[in-house]
Amino acid sequence: MDIEEDIRSLQLDSAEDINGVVNPEDEKPDVDNLDKMDEDPKQEVQTQAVEAEPKAKDKEIPSVQDEEVEQMEKRHLNVVFIGHVDAGKSTTGGQILFLSGQVDDRTIQKYEKEAKDKSRESWYMAYIMDTNEEERAKGKTVEVGRAHFETETTRFTILDAPGHKSYVPNMISGASQADIGVLVISARKGEFETGYERGGQTREHVQLAKTLGVTKLLVVVNKMDDPTVNWSKERYDEIESKMIPFLRQSGYNVKKDVSFLPISGLMGLNLKTRMDKSSCPWWDGPCLFEALDSIDVPMGDPKNPFRMPIIDKFKDMGTVTMGKVESGTIREGDSLFIMPNKDQVKVIAVYIDENRVKRAGPGENLRVRVSGVEEEDISSGFVLCSVANPIPAVTEFVAQLAILELLDNAIFTAGYKAVLHVHSVVEECEIVELLQQIDPKTRKPMKKKVLFVKNGAVVLCRVQVSNLICVEKFSDFPQLGRFTLRTEGKTVAVGKITAM
């Protein structure tokens, strides 16, 4: 059984990037037939009149930056670091922050001493990204670390995703916000093989990244300075030759969307400056900063309806929501909805990093202070959106699913239960009806009635959740219409919403 082939058949390798921009050279997903299959009444969201919001109780807020500063001359990209546990994601992220001047020498010395006291000398760079005690004690990332750095042309937000299989849900939340993926692979003898074989997180992370809309991938072969590798071209070539067919089967266009490069995260080699020929005479490609700078990622349309899935909220002179703008533009003073509760709010202030700005567009990670709603009335997975064109809130939708690998003896049929992950929503769901099986080769529905399907099948089905969730059709907003189903810590299916 070939899991990777299934993801191709699902056509999540559509040319639409996470903000819905289409490359005319690539094939568009075939959703026309699927929309016609939705025979049941649609569950629509009715926009209802909302009473005028209460007056803001915020304290006085500092003056807004000038329009010129707010324009943000540099583009902004979110980069998620993914890969098997211990591949060196946090260490590489920490080294990037140090090399780009985000962390000073004194802090590094403090982390070195802390790591040495724990007899974990090589972990000190990871402490920059892994900030809580559990992560430092275990040497494992648990939460998605978040940090910022800049190159000459681009502002980057690093999302350091956990590699351990117990924390895949956190990895999913990080990857769903990303524009670019950096897949970190350990070149150390035995470590690459452990991460790549079935059950290793290298495979699952690649498949999830593609499903979650990470269209561009940088594969960094880390630990090239390890004594078992010693910058060996043979080892690098071996890893590249094994990864390319797998990446292709996972839906990546390897020539256009994937780049490979060797690095040492711990020593900071080939990150900010190119490799010294004396250490690695065979490498004449770019360093990591150059490779990240050169990636072209189309951004969403700032004129589309506003959509910002909320990943977190807190109180600070009012209610503050956090999230990434998937579509549209937000301005200070806007009236917006928080769905699915239809709470009408007023935008008091918008922040990019620590800077207050007058407006912000697609791709930006924001903190938005609003009035008209209490912090306890907002949950992760709610969506800040335009009043004129709010996001639909539903308890049921039709989706096209690719079944990857069910648990032993499980059958995928009506009544199947799993955990649904879509943008920042995590909800238990149930498959209430299998509508039609799709032929993976022709991508057309089969005529015979389907009662159950096995691994490798592509099926059109009706999915139900117990609470209202905010989603979109994949054809309208890809990033808000693609999802994964997981059961008992395993990804069993990936899908896209075709009708509501």
Side-chain angles (χ1 to χ4, degrees):
M1 193 280 308
D2 198 349
I3 298 175
E4 298 86 352
E5 200 63 38
D6 310 326
I7 293 189
R8 288 179 78 189
S9 67
L10 184 58
Q11 285 299 289
L12 288 180
D13 48 332
S14 103
E16 297 174 40
D17 85 313
I18 55 175
N19 283 310
V21 176
V22 176
N23 182 341
E25 294 174 9
D26 292 335
E27 190 177 12
K28 199 175 178 184
D30 180 14
V31 294
D32 299 338
N33 294 328
L34 300 173
D35 291 339
K36 292 172 189 167
M37 295 172 199
D38 185 18
E39 293 164 5
D40 288 4
K42 295 181 181 178
Q43 183 168 354
E44 301 285 359
V45 177
Q46 299 297 326
T47 303
Q48 60 185 33
V50 181
E51 294 175 15
E53 75 267 8
K55 289 179 183 175
K57 297 174 186 174
D58 295 341
K59 298 175 188 174
E60 190 176 335
I61 295 170
S63 60
V64 182
Q65 293 191 357
D66 294 339
E67 193 79 18
E68 288 72 33
V69 178
E70 168 270 321
Q71 285 287 342
M72 293 293 176
E73 294 163 11
K74 295 181 180 180
R75 67 174 182 160
H76 174 260
L77 292 176
N78 294 283
V79 183
V80 66
F81 280 70
I82 59 174
H84 192 68
V85 65
D86 286 340
K89 298 179 293 299
S90 299
T91 296
T92 303
Q95 187 69 259
I96 287 170
L97 295 178
F98 175 60
L99 292 172
S100 59
Q102 307 301 309
V103 184
D104 59 26
D105 286 327
R106 186 174 292 177
T107 307
I108 292 291
Q109 285 164 8
K110 185 183 105 178
Y111 290 156
E112 275 190 281
K113 183 179 184 307
E114 194 177 326
K116 200 168 185 180
D117 291 345
K118 292 177 179 169
S119 302
R120 293 286 187 269
E121 286 90 341
S122 65
W123 288 4
Y124 73 96
M125 274 293 172
Y127 284 7
I128 299 170
M129 296 300 299
D130 292 342
T131 52
N132 73 38
E133 270 312 307
E134 181 191 357
E135 293 179 321
R136 291 184 177 182
K138 291 182 178 176
K140 290 189 182 99
T141 304
V142 177
E143 299 293 334
V144 175
R146 187 180 289 268
H148 310 279
F149 76 101
E150 293 188 18
T151 60
E152 287 185 14
T153 62
T154 312
R155 292 177 296 120
F156 289 100
T157 297
I158 295 178
L159 303 162
D160 177 31
H164 197 276
K165 61 185 176 185
S166 303
Y167 308 118
V168 168
N170 293 349
M171 175 268 167
I172 289 172
S173 87
S176 68
Q177 302 162 49
D179 306 299
I180 301 171
V182 174
L183 174 63
V184 183
I185 288 176
S186 170
R188 182 180 287 161
K189 196 166 185 181
E191 282 192 4
F192 164 68
E193 287 73 12
T194 302
Y196 180 67
E197 66 192 22
R198 292 197 184 278
Q201 292 312 108
T202 303
R203 285 171 173 264
E204 186 175 19
H205 277 206
V206 168
Q207 291 166 343
L208 285 170
K210 186 61 189 172
T211 307
L212 294 163
V214 178
T215 54
K216 306 282 184 178
L217 202 61
L218 269 177
V219 183
V220 297
V221 182
N222 189 25
K223 305 190 185 180
M224 288 294 290
D225 59 322
D226 189 80
T228 65
V229 184
N230 200 19
W231 296 96
S232 159
K233 185 176 190 303
E234 288 70 30
R235 178 62 166 164
Y236 176 83
D237 289 344
E238 177 195 355
I239 290 170
E240 186 175 11
S241 66
K242 284 184 178 172
M243 286 303 300
I244 283 175
F246 173 69
L247 292 168
R248 197 172 280 128
Q249 287 164 354
S250 298
Y252 280 100
N253 182 329
V254 177
K255 283 186 181 175
K256 278 171 55 181
D257 299 331
V258 179
S259 303
F260 285 80
L261 65 158
I263 66 162
S264 165
L266 184 62
M267 305 307 294
L269 299 175
N270 210 35
L271 295 183
K272 190 177 182 184
T273 55
R274 291 194 178 197
M275 274 302 301
D276 192 304
K277 288 287 183 188
S278 61
S279 303
C280 186
W282 52 268
W283 180 254
D284 57 1
C287 61
L288 182 61
F289 279 31
E290 290 172 330
L292 286 169
D293 256 346
S294 66
I295 291 178
D296 182 29
V297 179
M299 285 292 106
D301 190 344
K303 293 179 182 172
N304 274 354
F306 183 71
R307 301 283 186 267
M308 188 186 95
I310 295 169
I311 58 170
D312 204 357
K313 72 330 169 40
F314 57 92
K315 269 187 178 166
D316 178 18
M317 296 192 297
T319 300
V320 179
T321 59
M322 293 173 61
K324 177 192 169 192
V325 180
E326 295 295 349
S327 163
T329 302
I330 185 171
R331 293 175 181 79
E332 202 171 284
D334 277 354
S335 278
L336 298 171
F337 267 166
I338 291 183
M339 295 292 285
N341 287 0
K342 300 193 185 79
D343 289 320
Q344 190 160 9
V345 297
K346 186 172 182 184
V347 177
I348 304 300
V350 180
Y351 296 89
I352 297 176
D353 301 339
E354 299 305 314
N355 303 318
R356 187 169 169 194
V357 298
K358 285 184 180 173
R359 68 170 184 269
E364 293 289 359
N365 293 317
L366 304 180
R367 284 180 296 122
V368 181
R369 183 176 292 137
V370 295
S371 65
V373 69
E374 292 302 317
E375 177 256 350
E376 56 265 25
D377 295 329
I378 301 172
S379 296
S380 177
F382 284 16
V383 178
L384 196 59
C385 59
S386 63
V387 173
N389 192 333
I391 187 169
V394 300
T395 55
E396 199 174 281
F397 57 84
V398 175
Q400 182 180 309
L401 268 181
I403 313 302
L404 302 183
E405 194 171 6
L406 299 170
L407 298 178
D408 293 341
N409 303 321
I411 296 174
F412 195 85
T413 183
Y416 186 92
K417 290 185 169 73
V419 178
L420 169 80
H421 294 261
V422 53
H423 61 83
S424 51
V425 171
V426 181
E427 275 284 336
E428 289 191 1
C429 72
E430 181 177 343
I431 307 301
V432 289
E433 184 184 6
L434 299 190
L435 299 172
Q436 280 177 304
Q437 192 166 351
I438 311 288
D439 187 325
K441 289 176 184 167
T442 63
R443 290 190 231 133
K444 295 201 172 139
M446 298 178 185
K447 288 181 181 172
K448 63 177 182 183
K449 186 163 177 60
V450 58
L451 295 175
F452 68 91
V453 292
K454 298 179 181 177
N455 291 343
V458 179
V459 65
L460 196 70
C461 57
R462 191 175 292 283
V463 184
Q464 194 175 71
V465 289
S466 49
N467 298 309
L468 276 172
I469 61 170
C470 297
V471 291
E472 295 273 9
K473 287 201 300 186
F474 177 84
S475 54
D476 296 338
F477 289 86
Q479 197 56 16
L480 304 176
R482 48 162 65 92
F483 63 92
T484 60
L485 294 184
R486 306 192 83 244
T487 301
E488 294 180 27
K490 186 174 179 180
T491 301
V492 294
V494 295
K496 61 182 181 182
I497 297 167
T498 58
M500 288 180 277

